[in-house]
Amino acid sequence: MAGIGGADGTAAEKLGYLGLGMMGFPMTRRLLNAGHDVTVWNRSSGKAAALVDAGAKPASHPREVADAASIIFMCLTDAAAVEEVVFGPDGLAAASGTGKLVVDFSSIHPDAARAIADRLKMTNGTGWIDAPVSGGTMGAEQGTLAVMAGGDAADIERVRPYVLAMARRLTHMGPTGAGQTTKLCNQVIVGCAMAVLAEATRLAVNAGIDAKRLPEALAGGFADSIPLQLFVPRMVQGIHSPPLGHIATMLKDLDTVIDVARDTSSPVPMAGLAAQLFRLAKAARGADADALEIYKLSAEQTG
């Protein structure tokens, strides 16, 4: 297979990437910067232009990506989008899948990941790894993402060198669906952290102390964390562009948490409350607003 040779002298595989949004675009750019052969597709073709200028090969539909690549990465908005790209007209299922792998960075329901993976395997033999990510757009740009994966161990090792061109860490969590379940655990922590940090920041502001100094004051203590250091300054200063993530995305994931919790008899009272706060934020700020705008829910209303 053509491409840049690996450290063990083997030839690199040809890659594909489907979905060039907030995460997919910078992740694909990192693959190109590492010298990989990448074919790209996006529903809105204009988003691919800069990547094509950087050396990517454009495709007119997902099947063309599958025909050109042996490992196909994708990052899409939800399970419906994943199913359409895989099984829709000129989707991945229409290509020959022997020896090929899909690595899905999308965050979807674990049951959906298992169902799509099984159906695709039966249709054309393509393998599947569910590999949702954490780290936001900044992590995608800097290559510091954490990737949690479900699938066959040998498949995980096959894709590891390519994933690590886009991420700092790839952890195999178990069979198909395990990556998605791990991402839900991540979202419980992150979603609740956003809500709690918004609460603490508003308390500081209303009490008359400099909330921008909270990260400095709490550094090294039990309250210190990456979310504290990253989220609070952005909340206080109203920095929401580019967004770290959309309100609708966080709400989707928290709603999935609640669904899986119901099926597994798992109490998730904090995640349930966070979901309702993000539902309010969606109504007040809009689905595509930065998730950190949850802080604005507690702003004093004037006029």
Side-chain angles (χ1 to χ4, degrees):
M1 297 176 183
I4 303 300
D8 60 357
T10 60
E13 302 196 46
K14 290 186 176 181
L15 309 177
Y17 207 113
L18 306 169
L20 305 175
M22 290 173 55
M23 301 295 288
F25 186 95
M27 292 173 79
T28 303
R29 185 167 51 196
R30 291 193 65 84
L31 289 174
L32 293 170
N33 289 343
H36 293 297
D37 183 323
V38 188
T39 300
V40 298
W41 174 87
N42 192 70
R43 193 173 302 280
S44 302
S45 58
K47 290 186 177 181
L51 294 172
V52 172
D53 289 343
K57 299 173 182 176
S60 57
H61 46 70
R63 177 179 179 174
E64 190 175 340
V65 176
D67 286 336
S70 53
I71 298 174
I72 302 108
F73 299 108
M74 62 184 184
C75 191
L76 304 170
T77 54
D78 53 29
V82 172
E83 184 143 353
E84 175 65 19
V85 162
V86 176
F87 300 111
D90 290 317
L92 300 181
S96 173
T98 304
K100 299 191 176 185
L101 279 172
V102 170
V103 181
D104 184 22
F105 294 127
S106 314
S107 294
I108 64 176
H109 198 295
D111 289 347
R114 286 186 282 264
I116 293 170
D118 289 346
R119 182 180 168 193
L120 181 61
K121 187 72 172 180
M122 291 177 61
T123 301
N124 70 356
T126 300
W128 190 276
I129 297 170
D130 58 291
V133 306
S134 180
T137 54
M138 185 179 299
E141 291 167 357
Q142 297 177 355
T144 57
L145 295 171
V147 183
M148 47 225 78
D152 181 79
D155 290 343
I156 302 291
E157 294 312 308
R158 176 179 164 189
V159 305
R160 184 177 296 277
Y162 307 104
V163 172
L164 292 182
M166 300 176 279
R168 176 176 291 165
R169 182 175 295 104
L170 169 62
T171 306
H172 183 200
M173 295 301 295
T176 305
Q180 297 295 348
T181 303
T182 306
K183 176 61 183 285
L184 294 179
C185 296
N186 179 88
Q187 295 303 77
V188 169
I189 296 168
V190 175
C192 291
M194 286 182 175
V196 168
L197 288 170
E199 187 172 300
T201 302
R202 182 61 64 195
L203 175 63
V205 169
N206 288 357
I209 67 172
D210 186 355
K212 294 193 299 297
R213 300 193 66 189
L214 285 175
E216 174 190 354
L218 304 180
F222 284 162
D224 196 11
S225 65
I226 292 174
L228 171 72
Q229 297 296 331
L230 180 62
F231 297 167
V232 170
R234 293 175 69 99
M235 288 178 179
V236 176
Q237 298 173 70
I239 300 172
H240 299 297
S241 182
L244 291 182
H246 293 141
I247 286 174
T249 301
M250 179 58 72
L251 179 57
K252 168 184 68 73
D253 291 346
L254 288 172
D255 280 343
T256 303
V257 166
I258 294 166
D259 187 51
V260 172
R262 184 184 303 111
D263 291 342
T264 58
S265 298
S266 303
V268 287
M270 302 304 293
L273 175 56
Q276 295 307 321
L277 291 172
F278 277 103
R279 209 175 310 282
L280 287 171
K282 180 181 176 182
R285 309 303 304 176
D288 292 332
D290 182 22
L292 294 184
E293 291 199 45
I294 189 174
Y295 171 67
K296 295 181 179 179
L297 282 180
S298 59
E300 183 178 351
Q301 302 299 313
T302 59

